[in-house]
């Protein structure tokens, strides 16, 4: 069997991207909630999960790095809140399309990495403009794919693929004619042998398997480091270890996240690196100059001492008398003499020897002072360099620490959710559409339906209960997520009924708007429910979650929390402050949990239930 050593993979291949597209396709129908810029590319937040689009990969992701809205404003304005129609791969190449109802975003994992927003066939936004003989990418221009360089295996049949495989040069023809890349070419040869027909059949089989989502995600480890990631289990690679994953995107997270964080850190510390280079150049220059200054000072002092020692003999020789000093040459204003030890020295005619000796001592002193000052500057530069190195290290560590794992969402997390002190599950709609879903799908006949006695409130459902304290807690939760909070009311009545009393069937001749219901029969009331809600942060392994609860139940859900009441601080500002204070939980998630403008009335800490226990509580629904 052919055994192959490979270079470290730096970007998804077309084969990898095909598997990634199969996984991303499960997001079809999801609403695009937001778009962020990250250090390595872009992050798309869908209702069903996140998609990373970087120069390394385009895939689902469970890791959210440090992100910002800056640089994503236009793209977000074009597509936010739209539904994803499909994720498509237009041909067997490193191209992927996120198709929405009004247009599409094309990710080109080519060189250079680019993203292009297209509406009605024309470019409306792009990362990089591009102009060449084959095409023009510019705002307003008609969008065209890069010229196809290979036979498209997605559409070609086995016969066409077989013709493209040169039996005399299998590997080269697979790479150049079919776009497999070296890794897949070697894998096909290892699996199918040297028959072009067998190779073509195996290629089609693998492509169809991956396209349909039949994956065996694998990372190859060699020498303790990951060297490649594939959607299939390879037979051709020389690996010390094969690490297998439940999903290809989780394998891509494992493999590419370190590269993406390193790339982000390099960009974020670019200014620091440039300053370091300038400092290092100055340090190197001074490290060369200081010895020169000191050596020249020493030479001048030695010469001055020797001239001083022979001063009388030199002066006698210059007057023409007998002396141990020999005049070697006279050239204009220069006189060259030879000392008894054989050393030659040039003197200036007309300058008294004593003055010349003093000048030598002065020059030596000046050079020593320059060396001393340079040494002081050198020491300062070294301290500055050390500070810059530490600043760069801290920034790199901060960026790496900012990347957080995103948990796979449980079914109840798409709603407002909480638990009572009696460990009963509670869910509420975030909008009219979710209110409909709560009533139609989750409100059982014997469950309880809670609603603030005011138009515009969350439809809240909970299992049956009789404890007045638990009823109050659910009422508080329903009251908080109502219009009453936003308009600054501090208490409101909340009614509750059995699920069988709630209907979408209006009286004859009337119409019920989306999210509205008819309540039949007697309503029970919890009067004057105080408007207060606990919002907090919890950590489950590497995952941070924002939680909300009635104040009494908050210690069951959050490690750190605050109790808020209606106030005058905008929830966007307060949410960012709390996220920074807590660390780990994302600002936008804290903001989403706050009912509206608020003020903090108290802070608290809790010992939260394990997440699997919370999931078990909701599993009883």
């Amino acid at each position: 069997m052919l055994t192959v050593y490979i270079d470290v993979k730096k970007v998804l291949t077309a084969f990898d991207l095909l598997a990634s597209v199969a996984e991303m396709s499960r997001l079809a129908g999801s609403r695009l909630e937001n778009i962020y810029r990250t250090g390595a590319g872009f992050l798309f937040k869908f209702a069903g999960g996140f998609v990373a689009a970087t120069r390394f990969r385009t895939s689902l992701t469970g890791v959210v790095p440090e992100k910002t809205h800056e640089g994503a404003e236009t793209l977000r304005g074009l597509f936010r809140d739209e539904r994803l129609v499909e994720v498509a791969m237009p041909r067997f190449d490193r191209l992927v399309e996120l198709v929405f109802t009004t247009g599409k975003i094309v990710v080109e994992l080519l060189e250079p990495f680019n993203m292009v927003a297209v509406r009605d066939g024309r470019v409306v936004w792009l990362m990089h403009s591009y102009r060449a003989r084959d095409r023009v990418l510019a705002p307003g221009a008609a969008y065209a794919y890069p010229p196809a360089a290979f036979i498209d295996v997605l559409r070609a049949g086995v016969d066409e693929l077989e013709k493209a495989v040169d039996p005399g040069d299998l590997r080269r023809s697979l790479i150049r004619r079919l776009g497999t890349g070296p890794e897949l070419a070697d894998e096909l040869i290892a699996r199918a042998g040297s028959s072009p027909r067998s190779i073509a059949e195996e290629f089609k089989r693998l492509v169809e398997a991956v396209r349909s989502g039949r994956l065996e995600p694998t990372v190859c480890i060699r020498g303790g480091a990951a060297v490649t990631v594939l959607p299939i289990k390879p037979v051709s690679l020389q690996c010390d270890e094969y690490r297998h994953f439940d999903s290809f995107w989780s394998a891509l997270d494992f493999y590419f996240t370190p590269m993406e964080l390193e790339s982000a850190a390099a960009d974020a510390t670019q200014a620091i690196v440039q300053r370091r280079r300038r400092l290092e150049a100055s340090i190197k220059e001074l490290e060369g100059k200081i010895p020169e200054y000191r050596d020249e000072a020493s030479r001048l002092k030695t010469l001055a001492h020797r001239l001083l020692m022979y001063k009388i003999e030199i002066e006698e020789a210059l007057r023409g008398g007998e002396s141990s000093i020999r005049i070697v040459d006279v050239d204009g204003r220069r006189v060259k003499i030879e000392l008894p030890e054989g050393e030659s020295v040039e003197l200036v005619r007309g300058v008294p020897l004593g003055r010349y000796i003093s000048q030598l001592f002065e020059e030596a002193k000046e050079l020593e002072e320059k060396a001393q000052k340079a040494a002081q500057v050198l020491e300062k530069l070294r301290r500055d360099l050390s500070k810059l190195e530490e600043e760069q290290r801290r920034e790199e560590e901060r960026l790496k620490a900012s990347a957080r794992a995103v948990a796979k969402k449980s079914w109840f997390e798409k709603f407002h959710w909480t638990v009572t002190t009696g460990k009963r599950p509670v869910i509420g709609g975030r909008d009219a559409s979710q209110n409909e879903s709560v009533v139609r799908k989750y409100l059982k006949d014997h469950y309880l339906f809670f609603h603030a006695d005011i138009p515009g409130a969350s439809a809240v459902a909970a299992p049956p209960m009789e404890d007045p304290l638990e009823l109050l807690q659910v009422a508080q939760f329903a009251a908080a997520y109502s219009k009453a909070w936003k308009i600054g009311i501090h208490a409101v009545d909340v009614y509750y009924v059995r699920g069988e009393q709630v209907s979408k069937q209006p009286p004859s001749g009337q119409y019920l708007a989306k999210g509205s219901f008819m309540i039949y029969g007697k309503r029970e009331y919890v009067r004057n429910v105080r408007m207060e809600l606990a919002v907090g942060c919890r950590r489950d392994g590497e995952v941070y979650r924002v939680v909300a609860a009635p104040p009494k139940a908050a210690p069951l859900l959050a490690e750190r929390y605050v109790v808020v009441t209606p106030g005058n601080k905008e929830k966007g500002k307060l949410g960012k402050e709390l996220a920074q204070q807590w660390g780990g939980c994302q600002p936008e998630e804290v903001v989403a949990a706050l009912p509206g403008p608020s003020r903090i009335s108290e802070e608290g800490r809790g010992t939260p239930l394990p997440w699997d226990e919370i999931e078990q509580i909701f599993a009883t629904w």
Side-chain angles (χ1 to χ4, degrees):
M1 180 181 293
L2 176 67
T3 299
V4 179
Y5 289 92
I6 56 169
D7 294 329
V8 175
K9 179 180 286 185
K10 294 295 186 182
V11 65
L12 286 188
T13 65
F15 186 61
D16 300 330
L17 192 57
L18 185 64
S20 184
V21 166
E23 290 188 327
M24 288 188 288
S25 292
R26 73 170 177 80
L27 291 178
S30 293
R31 183 173 64 88
L32 179 60
E33 296 181 349
N34 222 325
I35 304 175
Y36 304 98
R37 196 77 166 86
T38 66
F42 287 82
L43 184 72
F44 297 84
K45 182 182 181 183
F46 290 92
F50 289 90
V51 168
T54 73
R55 65 184 182 87
F56 302 95
R57 50 126 169 205
T58 303
S59 72
L60 295 175
T61 183
V63 176
V64 175
E66 184 174 72
K67 61 189 187 304
T68 178
H69 290 109
E70 295 179 10
E73 299 94 337
T74 302
L75 197 57
R76 189 171 65 249
L78 288 169
F79 294 104
R80 186 163 64 176
D81 292 328
E82 288 200 21
R83 297 281 175 183
L84 182 67
V85 176
E86 67 170 329
V87 182
M89 193 171 178
R91 63 173 188 247
F92 191 71
D93 205 344
R94 288 181 293 161
L95 301 168
V96 62
E97 297 178 340
L98 305 177
V99 182
F100 298 90
T101 51
T102 64
K104 62 184 178 181
I105 298 171
V106 185
V107 184
E108 299 182 354
L109 283 175
L110 306 169
E111 189 60 41
F113 167 64
N114 210 349
M115 273 179 37
V116 187
V118 181
R119 275 188 173 166
D120 299 322
R122 296 198 168 272
V123 175
V124 293
W125 175 92
L126 76 168
M127 284 181 65
H128 309 293
S129 294
Y130 174 85
R131 185 177 297 273
R133 288 184 305 171
D134 49 35
R135 64 174 182 154
V136 174
L137 276 183
Y143 177 75
Y145 296 117
F150 316 109
I151 295 172
D152 186 4
V153 68
L154 302 182
R155 293 168 179 80
V158 171
D159 291 342
E160 187 177 355
L161 298 182
E162 180 185 5
K163 291 177 183 177
V165 180
D166 181 356
D169 198 348
L170 296 174
R171 190 174 190 266
R172 185 183 180 90
S173 60
L174 284 169
I175 294 170
R176 293 204 166 186
R177 297 177 185 175
L178 297 180
T180 62
E183 183 179 74
L184 182 57
D186 294 329
E187 184 68 16
L188 289 170
I189 295 169
R191 287 169 177 252
S194 59
S195 164
R197 183 72 181 183
S198 297
I199 290 174
E201 290 173 344
E202 180 65 12
F203 193 8
K204 285 295 288 187
R205 188 192 70 78
L206 285 178
V207 164
E208 293 307 319
V210 166
R211 195 198 298 206
S212 63
R214 301 196 304 275
L215 311 177
E216 295 179 281
T218 305
V219 172
C220 172
I221 309 291
R222 192 169 64 237
V227 294
T228 191
V229 56
L230 299 101
I232 58 174
K233 184 178 179 180
V235 300
S236 64
L237 301 182
Q238 179 65 41
C239 303
D240 300 332
E241 174 191 352
Y242 293 106
R243 189 166 298 184
H244 304 289
F245 293 80
D246 293 334
S247 62
F248 190 43
W249 64 262
S250 58
L252 296 178
D253 276 351
F254 174 83
Y255 186 83
F256 282 117
T257 295
M259 294 185 193
E260 290 167 342
L261 292 175
E262 185 178 339
S263 174
D267 287 345
T269 59
Q270 188 173 13
I272 297 176
V273 170
Q274 290 175 348
R275 287 160 58 197
R276 275 189 59 182
R277 287 173 180 165
R278 289 195 293 268
L279 277 177
E280 287 166 348
S282 298
I283 287 171
K284 185 176 181 180
E285 182 181 359
L286 284 177
E287 285 175 339
K289 286 287 186 184
I290 291 171
E292 291 179 8
Y293 292 151
R294 287 173 174 163
D295 289 346
E296 181 64 8
S298 177
R299 187 188 71 78
L300 293 176
K301 285 173 69 176
T302 300
L303 176 60
H305 280 296
R306 295 182 68 79
L307 292 177
L308 186 61
M309 184 172 62
Y310 292 109
K311 182 174 182 293
I312 296 174
E313 287 91 336
I314 293 171
E315 289 174 337
E316 184 65 28
L318 293 173
R319 286 194 297 266
E322 290 190 12
S323 172
S324 60
I325 304 302
R326 188 167 67 91
I327 305 296
V328 177
D329 189 23
V330 177
D331 180 15
R333 295 193 62 219
R334 296 284 175 179
V335 178
K336 191 172 185 179
I337 64 173
E338 186 179 280
L339 301 179
E341 293 83 358
E343 181 181 358
S344 295
V345 179
E346 282 191 356
L347 303 176
V348 181
R349 294 180 66 184
V351 176
L353 184 59
R355 186 190 302 172
Y356 182 62
I357 293 172
S358 296
Q359 287 176 350
L360 291 176
F361 278 120
E362 285 296 325
E363 288 179 25
K365 183 180 178 182
E366 288 174 3
L367 286 169
E368 286 175 339
E369 288 175 350
K370 286 179 72 173
Q372 184 178 1
K373 290 178 181 177
Q376 292 172 349
V377 172
L378 179 61
E379 185 61 31
K380 180 181 181 301
L381 291 178
R382 284 173 173 162
R383 289 196 301 270
D384 291 344
L385 179 60
S386 179
K387 289 178 182 177
L388 274 181
E389 289 170 343
E390 178 62 20
E391 183 180 346
Q392 182 178 354
R393 184 190 65 78
R394 284 199 306 269
E395 178 66 8
E396 289 171 348
E397 289 182 354
R398 184 190 67 78
L399 281 167
K400 290 176 182 177
S402 71
R404 65 182 181 94
V406 179
K408 183 179 179 181
K409 296 286 187 182
S410 297
W411 69 266
F412 54 87
E413 289 185 273
K414 65 183 177 182
F415 301 106
H416 291 307
W417 68 272
T418 191
V419 297
T420 65
T421 50
K423 298 184 180 179
R424 296 178 190 272
V426 181
I427 61 171
R430 294 178 181 269
D431 52 32
S433 178
Q434 284 200 349
N435 282 348
E436 292 268 354
S437 179
V438 167
V439 171
R440 290 184 183 276
K441 294 178 62 176
Y442 298 100
L443 182 61
K444 302 175 184 179
D445 285 349
H446 65 294
Y447 274 36
L448 298 180
F449 172 87
F450 290 77
H451 197 281
D453 198 15
I454 186 174
S458 176
V460 174
M465 61 187 75
E466 296 181 359
D467 185 343
L469 292 179
E470 285 193 279
L471 289 170
L472 174 60
Q473 289 166 21
V474 183
Q476 283 180 312
F477 196 70
Y481 291 113
S482 72
K483 189 180 291 185
W485 190 292
K486 296 179 177 64
I487 61 180
I489 297 175
H490 286 267
V492 68
D493 293 342
V494 176
Y495 67 83
Y496 62 95
V497 296
R498 286 169 58 86
E500 61 190 3
Q501 295 176 249
V502 183
S503 174
K504 276 296 293 182
Q505 185 66 39
S508 179
Q510 295 186 23
Y511 167 77
L512 284 179
K514 188 173 186 179
S516 298
F517 313 96
M518 289 299 299
I519 307 296
Y520 295 94
K522 183 182 177 182
R523 305 182 186 192
E524 300 293 338
Y525 278 87
V526 182
R527 301 289 184 182
N528 296 315
V529 177
R530 185 181 176 191
M531 305 288 287
E532 59 179 3
L533 183 74
V535 175
C537 182
R538 63 178 288 135
R539 181 177 180 179
D540 302 295
E542 296 182 353
V543 175
Y544 289 85
R545 290 181 174 91
V546 175
V547 294
K552 291 291 185 183
L556 294 178
L557 293 181
E559 289 155 343
R560 301 182 67 181
Y561 64 89
V562 295
V563 177
V564 294
T565 59
N568 56 10
K569 178 168 280 192
E570 291 298 323
K571 70 174 188 175
K573 184 175 182 181
L574 179 59
K576 290 177 182 177
E577 290 176 1
L578 290 173
Q580 185 175 10
Q581 176 183 329
W582 292 333
C585 283
Q586 293 299 297
E588 67 271 13
E589 294 180 5
V590 182
V591 173
L594 291 168
S598 306
R599 72 173 184 86
I600 297 173
S601 62
E602 62 179 281
E603 299 185 13
R605 290 180 179 268
T607 305
L609 299 171
W611 185 251
D612 58 357
E613 184 173 345
I614 293 173
E615 289 188 312
Q616 289 171 11
I617 290 172
F618 278 89
T620 64
W621 194 279

